Amino acid sequence: MSIQFERVALIGIGLIGGSIARDIAALGLARQVVVSSRSPETLKRAEELGLGTEYVACAAEAVKDADLVIVSVPVGASGAVAEQIAGTLKPGAIVTDVGSTKTSVIAQMLPFMPPHVHFIPGHPIAGTEKSGPDAGFVGLFHGRWCILTPLPETDPAALAKLKTFWETLGSRVDEMDPPHHDKVLAIVSHLPHIIAYNIVGTADDLETVTESEVIKYSASGFRDFTRLAASDPTMWRDVCLHNKDAILEMLARFSEDLAYLQRAIRWGEGDKLFDLFTRTRAIRRSIVEAGQDVDAPDFGRHALDKK
Ligand code: NAP
């Protein structure tokens, strides 16, 4: 693979930043990779893992001379990071992020972006419930979508360069306007996480079911929610606070649909239940057909069950 950027600065080096770092190294996409993280522990760990070629505590220092800057921090921290790096960004640099919300990240970062850089917000639709530099791995973005939300003034050449970068990591790239991104992600990602946090919280609160029974019988459905509910609390607090309107809109619709389901169960309307459950099964099939999951029974967990 050929060099795409002389110098890349990775600001934030957890699951996402750490996976990008591993892919850049594996594919040889940059000559120098400067890694920066706010805590000495994470920076040290990134160095032990060999995720970059330089390790710099100060984000402003890290972005100096970088042709590509990727900000991978919780969305609530993006404004503060933008303010820190603004004064030292190289003219012509591409500055992007990976945050799960876009309208809020743009509102926080754009005011600090100097006119001589290309600010192109982005969001790879790939992840796990793990966090920190150890959680990253080569190939996280392979076969997944990456959404870029360019601004009206975005330079097409810079956009094409960033698009090529994500495509080299194996992603398919879509462009969206930021409010549309936030609406789509509210239903496909944010609502499922909130429901998972809620259901796991409810089970934890139930007094009639002992904790051991919840764990013991979890293979009947509950454990599928626990993966989502094990996701990073800081990241998800920030997502909820920074995509508030779209999430509240989806939650309102969800509550209405839940009330419909509740009524159908109360009045024994089996046909309504059957129709809904048939429709939802088809959605699962579409996800498998689109290559976004495998068709193994029970999400491929049979091997685990036999242990
Ligand atoms: P992570 O593994 O928890 O890593 C977070 C990184 O951000 C660490 O380097 C951490 O530094 C730094 N950080 C945390 N709080 C900060 C603050 N207040 N100021 C400056 N830096 C801070 O997180 P991640 O999963 O990689 O997520 C990073 C971003 O990617 C988030 O915006 C998230 O919405 C987005 N995203 C996540 C996923 C996912 O599945 N996890 C998927 C797509 C997009 P220290 O460790 O040094 O404190």
Side-chain angles (χ1 to χ4, degrees):
M1 209 59 75
S2 57
I3 300 281
Q4 291 184 1
F5 296 94
E6 279 299 313
R7 195 170 165 85
V8 175
L10 300 175
I11 310 301
I13 193 78
L15 167 71
I16 301 297
S19 296
I20 294 172
R22 285 168 171 93
D23 277 348
I24 291 176
L27 298 164
L29 300 180
R31 240 176 270 283
Q32 298 161 336
V33 177
V34 193
V35 172
S36 183
S37 200
R38 69 173 174 168
S39 75
E41 295 77 22
T42 300
L43 198 57
K44 183 164 171 278
R45 187 62 192 141
E47 187 165 4
E48 285 164 2
L49 292 166
L51 297 182
T53 56
E54 288 169 50
Y55 304 88
V56 177
C58 170
E61 193 65 32
V63 302
K64 272 186 191 164
D65 296 323
D67 309 290
L68 174 65
V69 175
I70 307 179
V71 176
S72 310
V73 302
V75 290
S78 24
V81 168
E83 187 173 13
Q84 285 163 30
I85 63 175
T88 45
L89 289 167
K90 178 183 171 181
I94 295 175
V95 181
T96 188
D97 80 303
V98 298
S100 305
T101 70
K102 294 277 56 90
T103 311
S104 151
V105 165
I106 294 167
Q108 291 177 71
M109 291 186 75
L110 189 59
F112 296 109
M113 288 296 112
H116 60 256
V117 304
H118 306 290
F119 173 49
I120 310 173
H123 179 202
I125 312 299
T128 73
E129 69 281 19
K130 304 277 196 310
S131 48
D134 284 278
F137 56 91
V138 168
L140 172 64
F141 310 105
H142 201 272
R144 300 282 169 257
W145 286 94
C146 178
I147 300 175
L148 298 179
T149 59
L151 306 170
E153 61 275 19
T154 297
D155 172 38
L159 179 61
K161 210 160 178 214
L162 186 60
K163 196 170 168 222
T164 301
F165 173 77
W166 280 108
E167 285 171 352
T168 313
L169 267 49
S171 292
R172 286 178 282 174
V173 178
D174 252 350
E175 286 173 38
M176 268 183 205
D177 70 75
H180 186 65
H181 164 279
D182 290 354
K183 231 178 199 178
V184 171
L185 267 292
I187 185 69
V188 299
S189 172
H190 307 169
L191 194 63
H193 277 84
I194 290 166
I195 292 167
Y197 280 123
N198 189 53
I199 196 168
V200 176
T202 302
D204 191 43
D205 290 343
L206 280 183
E207 282 167 16
T208 49
V209 180
T210 67
E211 200 179 301
S212 65
E213 280 172 327
V214 171
I215 305 297
K216 188 171 161 189
Y217 302 121
S218 62
S220 54
F222 182 70
R223 88 180 164 181
D224 291 339
F225 287 99
T226 60
R227 187 187 72 77
L228 293 181
S231 300
D232 189 70
T234 305
M235 169 185 161
W236 283 97
R237 175 203 63 197
D238 280 14
V239 169
C240 290
L241 298 179
H242 289 267
N243 197 20
K244 181 177 162 183
D245 293 344
I247 289 175
L248 287 178
E249 191 185 324
M250 291 306 162
L251 271 175
R253 289 195 63 149
F254 173 78
S255 304
E256 271 177 35
D257 293 345
L258 192 62
Y260 171 87
L261 207 54
Q262 197 174 359
R263 215 182 133 79
I265 294 169
R266 181 178 310 284
W267 297 106
E269 295 170 328
D271 49 344
K272 284 187 178 165
L273 299 175
F274 189 83
D275 286 350
L276 175 68
F277 302 165
T278 305
R279 271 202 290 138
T280 54
R281 205 174 203 192
I283 290 179
R284 170 79 196 152
R285 272 199 301 273
S286 314
I287 289 172
V288 171
E289 277 160 26
Q292 296 302 302
D293 207 348
V294 291
D295 196 20
D298 195 19
F299 304 108
R301 283 190 183 132
H302 271 38
L304 185 75
D305 288 342
K306 285 189 189 119
K307 272 190 186 168

